[in-house]
Amino acid sequence: MVLILALVPGLALADNAVMQELGSKAAKTAMQDLKVEKGDANVLILTSAGHAIVDGRTTQAAIKGLTEESGNSIGDANLFHVLRPYWKPVWFYFFNKANGEAVFLQADSMALNKSLEEFKALSNDQVFSRISKANVDIDYLANHTDEGNETFNKKAFNGNEFSLAGISNVWARGGSFDFIQATCFHDHLCPGVTSGLFLAEYVEEKLPINNITAESYKVISCPNWCKDDLFQMRWDATPGKSGLFVMALTDAEKKAVPNIAGIYIRWNDTAKAGDALALGFNFSAVKLPQWTGPSWGSKLYQDIVLMDYVDKPETFINVIKEFDVDAAKLAMLQNAGMHPLKVAGVM
Ligand SMILES: [Zn+2]
């Protein structure tokens, strides 16, 4: 027993060394393929390392290998780990914003069972079950739809195409660190999570946090959509801490309160009182430029054109109702037996 316990930390170190080497190999291979040098500010790295767990071993050490080899880091806002369930594969994605080229590499879990010496000796084909390269820049794809068809319809990045292309296109066009980080938590960057950013900005303008000790935002998300993951990252409004309550609506209910995007409360926990806004979000409030190519491009394109409104979130938002909330009302809005839109008096 003592012997086993003594061995465990050593095993973990060996695992980490293999993972670190995996990250290093991924970076070396991708940088060669993209013809970029260490420290190139045009390069973005996205990875599932840190979330993926392979045969019981965590994968965060791969991030260390990536950083050492490429120079990219979270501090430079050019390396992010994208949320995936732990049982999904560990992959690496390198994007060069200078030309839109991207390389995707997925680790072969078999290779990760080797000792460090054995692992170092493996060829790229043995380390990675997939290495693929594609141009994912939306402006390039608009003129090369045949290449886009190959990438998206044939799943060149093992099903991660939209997720990775969306995040990298917005990153390349100056998406802020906090927004990119929130989209990585959401798994992808879609118009839905962008609407979350706009709603958050709107609420912050109308109901600013004046007392950072007592005040916080609480969201009664009804109906739910991708927006809700942004509030968790930006406001720390998580369900576990009663910051976010999420309920779906039937189609008939959605029709009854057009564009309803939930109830947003600035809550003062000392005064046990808050200010609430029932907000609507109308994606069709303005006529956005339209993507005319194959369907895989439409949301990617919408991601880009929506960024023009990042300083004008009110374009899409309307106040359905403004009201005060006390502790009893807050409890009713959150309670499973109640209908929050009826409690709020908007339905
Ligand atoms: Zn989404």
Side-chain angles (χ1 to χ4, degrees):
M1 187 62 190
V2 172
L3 187 66
I4 291 168
L5 285 175
L7 279 172
V8 168
L11 280 174
L13 280 179
D15 286 349
N16 285 342
V18 168
M19 289 301 171
Q20 187 176 336
E21 183 65 18
L22 170 68
S24 172
K25 275 180 186 277
K28 257 184 220 158
T29 308
M31 287 161 67
Q32 248 170 33
D33 212 346
L34 293 173
K35 300 186 183 66
V36 294
E37 300 289 326
K38 182 174 181 173
D40 189 325
N42 287 318
V43 176
L44 169 70
I45 302 179
L46 301 173
T47 180
S48 66
H51 293 301
I53 299 178
V54 183
D55 295 333
R57 289 168 303 171
T58 59
T59 54
Q60 75 289 345
I63 300 173
K64 192 174 175 188
L66 287 172
T67 292
E68 284 182 0
E69 196 64 40
S70 66
N72 289 45
S73 70
I74 188 162
D76 290 315
N78 55 19
L79 189 158
F80 294 88
H81 64 308
V82 186
L83 184 58
R84 293 290 187 271
Y86 78 84
W87 58 84
K88 294 241 178 160
V90 59
W91 49 253
F92 308 93
Y93 168 86
F94 297 75
F95 169 78
N96 181 5
K97 77 171 173 184
N99 56 17
E101 287 181 349
V103 171
F104 174 88
L105 310 97
Q106 184 166 304
D108 186 333
S109 59
M110 296 288 284
L112 299 172
N113 288 321
K114 309 273 185 209
S115 71
L116 180 60
E117 292 318 305
E118 290 169 330
F119 183 76
K120 279 185 170 170
L122 296 178
S123 67
N124 277 346
D125 287 355
Q126 294 168 306
V127 173
F128 300 106
S129 57
R130 173 156 219 163
I131 303 178
S132 39
K133 188 177 181 184
N135 194 309
V136 298
D137 178 74
I138 193 72
D139 295 328
Y140 177 90
L141 289 173
N143 298 313
H144 299 84
T145 51
D146 49 336
E147 285 184 41
N149 288 339
E150 281 289 313
T151 305
F152 290 90
N153 298 345
K154 296 197 176 155
K155 299 194 186 331
F157 305 153
N158 283 357
N160 299 288
E161 301 76 29
F162 174 69
S163 164
L164 301 176
I167 295 170
S168 43
N169 268 282
V170 173
W171 175 85
R173 288 163 178 80
S176 66
F177 175 79
D178 62 297
F179 182 52
I180 298 296
Q181 197 178 37
T183 68
C184 289
F185 170 66
H186 179 56
D187 163 300
H188 58 264
L189 199 166
C190 61
V193 75
T194 307
S195 71
L197 175 66
F198 292 180
L199 283 158
E201 289 178 331
Y202 187 86
V203 171
E204 291 158 14
E205 166 79 24
K206 292 277 173 201
L207 303 173
I209 296 288
N210 298 316
N211 180 338
I212 60 166
T213 322
E215 288 176 345
S216 64
Y217 291 121
K218 291 182 179 290
V219 182
I220 312 294
S221 169
C222 184
N224 62 303
W225 75 75
C226 297
K227 62 178 166 44
D228 302 310
D229 291 341
L230 186 124
F231 309 135
Q232 297 180 61
M233 287 297 279
R234 189 176 174 99
W235 292 342
D236 187 25
T238 66
K241 300 189 296 289
S242 302
L244 175 65
F245 290 79
V246 181
M247 283 152 274
L249 289 179
T250 65
D251 288 344
E253 287 172 322
K254 283 182 196 166
K255 250 185 216 149
V257 193
N259 303 321
I260 179 74
I263 298 159
Y264 298 81
I265 303 161
R266 178 182 59 190
W267 179 251
N268 185 314
D269 206 43
T270 308
K272 302 290 176 203
D275 308 285
L277 292 169
L279 296 179
F281 192 96
N282 181 5
F283 281 98
S284 321
V286 280
K287 209 170 163 6
L288 295 170
Q290 291 297 309
W291 171 262
T292 52
S295 61
W296 47 257
S298 61
K299 279 190 173 174
L300 278 180
Y301 186 72
Q302 212 186 344
D303 283 345
I304 306 298
V305 294
L306 275 172
M307 294 317 289
D308 289 342
Y309 290 86
V310 80
D311 297 322
K312 298 169 267 191
E314 67 281 359
T315 308
F316 302 93
I317 296 167
N318 64 295
V319 176
I320 296 170
K321 189 174 178 180
E322 213 167 339
F323 56 101
D324 295 334
V325 175
D326 60 13
K329 186 130 187 169
L330 181 66
M332 284 203 290
L333 287 167
Q334 297 172 344
N335 199 297
M338 313 295 274
H339 194 308
L341 298 185
K342 288 180 183 166
V343 173
V346 298
M347 182 184 258

